[in-house]
Amino acid sequence: MNHATQRHPIAGKHLIQGILVTLALISSCHSPPPTLQTPLPHPLTGRIWNSTAGHFVEDVSELVQGIPPTSVVVIGEKHDNALHREIQLSVLREFLRQEHPVDIAWEVFNHSDQTHLNHYLKNKTLSSNTLAETLQWDKRGWAPWQQFSPFLEAARTHQLSALGANLQRDLIRKVARHGFSALPSPLLERLKLNTRSFLNGEQVSELTQDIQESHCGMLDEAMARSMVPAQQTRDAIMASTLSTTR
């Protein structure tokens, strides 16, 4: 779809929700920063910093102008931060307001959830709470369902794809314990994880440190290192998900 007067250079995106821990915030011309419902405990909370220009953004249209042509926008979060979800939702709504075609790929949904997601998107009489019950959301350990349901409602209203971009946790745990060999052979071949580890020793150490830091230092090095193949698997399945979409 096109904007009323011009095609935007970043039209035709996939939004990936909840993959990185750094927020990539984008919005539209003449739009103020999003109005947030979550209380702001710190004066910097909810503000947008343009790292390229080196200043805070008062009108987020400048971020859009500085983004090169691309097909993927990564919108990260801290999983226990409701404010991040509010910002993410404002980004999605702004894309829709400007009529940019988007799909949404989710870290919080698995490939095995896809049938249920598709059924929800096609059945307008199905409530999002029914979907949550079907997915047994309250047993998954993510944030409350009410923080995610508005995204799905927007996807259904605007006929967007909602893609599960992750693997089931029990399978990820098996990879953490036993390595890539724990994956089913077809998936192992699809993700090309059976050919090489694709990380050298230094990169493994860096990823191990990243995993420790992202878990607030609560993991020792041995446990974090065991999670490296699990993280590689998650990264690979998310990349594979995006490569098979429009």
Side-chain angles (χ1 to χ4, degrees):
M1 289 180 286
N2 292 324
H3 190 276
T5 58
Q6 63 179 350
R7 186 168 182 83
H8 197 280
I10 57 173
K13 298 185 175 310
H14 307 292
L15 293 182
I16 316 176
Q17 188 194 32
I19 293 180
L20 302 181
V21 295
T22 302
L23 285 171
L25 302 180
I26 52 182
S27 192
S28 71
C29 299
H30 313 301
S31 296
T35 300
L36 305 173
Q37 302 301 315
T38 302
L40 305 183
H42 189 281
L44 295 181
T45 302
R47 300 199 65 188
I48 301 172
W49 175 257
N50 186 327
S51 59
T52 301
H55 60 73
F56 286 103
V57 174
E58 301 301 332
D59 186 327
V60 293
S61 62
E62 73 173 74
L63 289 181
V64 175
Q65 296 166 4
I67 295 176
T70 182
S71 61
V72 176
V73 175
V74 177
I75 306 178
E77 64 178 40
K78 286 190 65 177
H79 297 317
D80 60 354
N81 192 322
L83 173 61
H84 288 181
R85 238 89 60 207
E86 293 181 32
I87 296 174
Q88 290 169 342
L89 186 59
S90 72
V91 170
L92 174 60
R93 286 172 172 165
E94 190 56 40
F95 272 111
L96 296 175
R97 191 189 69 80
Q98 293 192 36
E99 299 185 337
H100 298 316
V102 295
D103 296 320
I104 312 173
W106 305 71
E107 181 188 16
V108 299
F109 294 126
N110 306 324
H111 274 212
S112 59
D113 298 329
Q114 196 61 55
T115 299
H116 300 302
L117 292 173
N118 292 344
H119 180 61
Y120 170 81
L121 294 176
K122 294 176 182 178
N123 188 348
K124 293 187 176 181
T125 63
L126 186 68
S127 72
S128 64
N129 287 336
T130 299
L131 175 60
E133 293 173 2
T134 300
L135 297 176
Q136 296 185 308
W137 186 261
D138 58 348
K139 297 181 180 180
R140 295 198 175 194
W142 294 104
W145 178 253
Q146 291 75 13
Q147 295 182 23
F148 295 97
S149 57
F151 295 90
L152 287 167
E153 292 166 3
R156 185 164 64 179
T157 298
H158 296 275
Q159 298 182 321
L160 312 179
S161 294
L163 308 171
N166 211 337
L167 289 178
Q168 304 93 302
R169 287 189 176 183
D170 59 344
L171 187 53
I172 291 295
R173 291 190 186 101
K174 289 180 181 179
V175 174
R177 289 195 297 268
H178 306 294
F180 298 135
S181 62
L183 293 171
S185 296
L187 184 59
L188 193 65
E189 176 62 29
R190 171 187 165 190
L191 301 180
K192 307 300 182 185
L193 294 173
N194 59 337
T195 56
R196 55 195 175 95
S197 66
F198 58 78
L199 291 182
N200 59 37
E202 181 179 354
Q203 291 170 326
V204 168
S205 295
E206 291 177 356
L207 181 52
T208 299
Q209 183 177 355
D210 288 343
I211 292 172
Q212 285 182 288
E213 292 177 354
S214 67
H215 288 79
C216 304
M218 298 180 68
L219 301 178
D220 60 31
E221 182 176 354
M223 182 175 293
R225 187 172 289 271
S226 73
M227 293 176 65
V228 167
Q231 186 62 53
Q232 289 179 274
T233 301
R234 297 179 73 194
D235 293 344
I237 194 65
M238 291 180 190
S240 177
T241 301
L242 294 176
S243 70
T244 58
T245 55
R246 66 184 178 183

